[in-house]
Amino acid sequence: MSITDEMIRQATADLYSWALRKVPDDTKAAMAAAMETETSETARKTLAMQLRSAEMAEDKNTFVCSDSGVPVYFVKIGTRAPISGDLKKSIRAGYEILVDTIDPPLLQHVTNPLTLERSYHGKDMPIVSYDLESDAEYVEITCSPKALGSGRWASLELFTFPSLEEIETYVLDVAIKAGAQHCPPVIIGVGIGGTFDSCASLAKKQTLRTIGSVNEHPELAAMEERLTKAVNSLGFGPMGTGGDTTALAVHVDFSSGHGFTPVAVCFNCWINRRTRARLWGDGRIERME
Amino acid sequence: MAEHELTLPMSREAVELLNAGDSVYLSGEIFATAGMPTHDRLLKCLDGKEELPFDFTGGALFHLGSLIEESPDGQMRIRYMNPTTSTRFNGFMPRIIPGLGLRFTGGKGGLDAACAKTMRACGCVYLSFLGGGAPIITSAIRKIVAVGWPEMISHYRVVKLEVERLGPLVVGIDAKGQSIYDSTRDAANARRASIIEQMRIEREA
């Protein structure tokens, strides 16, 4: 009994397909809750329409948005997982299967940044990062395809020994610059510290956190509350036509580092594409979300 | 905010009655494309280097990407359609709007102040579509009338469509130059200092 190539291919293809068709339950619940407190009539109508779009996509088994993004996967390999398949090759193969078989078909969004040619394929596609999970007996794959609308507005700045005020002001300024270009209400991920590369990864992973989950660090939980309120005070609202609901959540994580402190900010649009499955040695592909 | 049932084509006088923030349902023929290369090509047409694929005069050209599927018998249908970010086209629209004679444009995210100025001068309105609204938007398509530049990839083509009650769409920039995008951005910038102060108070509490 082991985690096979076939299972990895299947999970890779399914996770992407699911992400295009289903808005996560926590996200829908957060939007429904926002409708209760939203003071702008236009914003309430937009939120209602977003929820209707999500429901129609599920009913018709079709895509919520035409920009299916570029494929992005996060893989956690349990150190005790019985793996017989080649994870790297099979994830690539699974993505190829998806491109060939998904219905409705994808648009060609994978872009060569040097020539601007578009395709389904390209160098380093799909984008996969690997991590280890101590003592786990599974392989966990998360899929979070990234589209242009929200991908475009992420930002990272390097500070030296910044105060909390500087950090929070930076996050606010990135939110102001993004305005409503990223299809709000958004989920904002913030990373503080580490190095250039690890900080960006921290921020991205925070967009994948369940809305409503409580940060285990009390000082970050308080920062999340302040920043969520601050971003929503900007008034951009759903799709930028005004309102109190610009961010459904701000999630923050930090790493120790040197005195140079990167701060990274990134966004998921309201569709909040995020699916996750665990692959077990007994052949099960357990859909987590 | 007012709600309007509109049928295309519309006169300049009629679109000038729409106000930023109004809700709109559109019926009639529209054009859709999501391509940066398409906008380049439209400019080349305006420079006289190529023929336009359609007469756009008085029409509606929206930033909408669509997956067009062709069946073996040559019939084409749209599987899904959804807006793309219009601000990518800020540099193009001040020439394209008057050059094509557009009465409506739209997509998501709005256009900048230079575009709004052009729209005021030409009598053109920007309509905001719901990003992630593919199921709703696609269900308003009645038929593909024609496909311009079919040699391009699907979402870069210029598609002429017949739609029925496409919407609700929000008037993001009206023909008087009023822009929700400019006003919300100005308001956000104006609030910035007090929001930072409020965060400081909460941090120190």
Side-chain angles (χ1 to χ4, degrees), chain B:
Chain B
M1 298 296 181
E3 199 171 290
H4 307 270
E5 294 278 347
L6 305 177
T7 303
L8 298 166
M10 281 175 65
S11 68
R12 177 171 186 157
E13 293 69 31
V15 302
E16 281 173 344
L17 297 175
L18 302 173
N19 293 311
D22 286 357
S23 244
V24 163
Y25 287 90
L26 271 189
S27 297
E29 289 183 351
I30 65 165
F31 299 97
T33 186
M36 193 74 98
T38 319
H39 284 68
D40 269 327
R41 207 166 161 182
L42 287 170
L43 289 187
K44 284 191 184 119
C45 294
L46 294 178
D47 288 336
K49 292 175 184 160
E50 191 182 348
E51 286 290 306
L52 282 167
F54 300 105
D55 179 4
F56 295 89
T57 312
L61 173 65
F62 297 122
H63 301 133
L64 295 166
S66 55
L67 183 101
I68 304 166
E69 206 169 54
E70 195 170 345
S71 59
D73 63 358
Q75 287 291 314
M76 286 195 275
R77 65 168 175 154
I78 289 188
R79 294 294 303 275
Y80 53 84
M81 183 169 80
N82 200 56
T84 189
T85 306
S86 295
T87 46
R88 288 192 286 142
F89 308 112
N90 274 336
F92 296 89
M93 300 313 284
R95 275 200 70 203
I96 286 178
I97 290 166
L100 301 185
L102 300 179
R103 199 56 69 215
F104 286 98
T105 188
K108 74 173 189 72
L111 289 166
D112 67 7
C115 295
K117 195 175 157 194
T118 304
M119 292 166 66
R120 182 180 176 181
C122 303
C124 180
V125 166
Y126 180 94
L127 298 176
S128 169
F129 287 68
L130 177 66
I136 297 172
I137 293 163
T138 310
S139 68
I141 300 171
R142 288 297 158 264
K143 65 173 181 184
I144 296 181
V145 179
V147 177
W149 293 335
E151 67 279 14
M152 298 183 94
I153 62 172
S154 185
H155 44 313
Y156 286 4
R157 297 170 189 165
V158 182
V159 199
K160 187 176 186 180
L161 300 167
E162 187 184 311
V163 296
E164 186 180 343
R165 294 199 84 235
L166 175 64
L169 315 173
V170 177
V171 176
I173 307 171
D174 66 27
K176 288 154 279 193
Q178 296 301 312
S179 166
I180 286 180
Y181 308 99
D182 287 348
S183 58
T184 51
R185 181 165 295 279
D186 290 348
N189 281 322
R191 287 179 198 137
R192 179 181 177 275
S194 66
I195 292 171
I196 290 169
E197 176 59 13
Q198 183 60 34
M199 285 199 288
R200 188 189 64 76
I201 292 166
E202 288 172 19
R203 218 169 22 244
E204 291 172 2

Side-chain angles (χ1 to χ4, degrees), chain A residues 172-213:
Chain A
L172 187 71
D173 285 341
V174 174
I176 290 174
K177 190 177 174 200
Q181 296 294 306
H182 44 25
C183 289
V186 291
I187 291 79
I188 303 179
V190 178
I192 303 167
T195 57
F196 180 81
D197 53 326
S198 71
C199 183
S201 176
L202 278 182
K204 170 67 200 182
K205 284 175 183 160
Q206 285 303 299
T207 63
L208 303 175
R209 230 177 79 199
T210 305
I211 298 171
S213 59

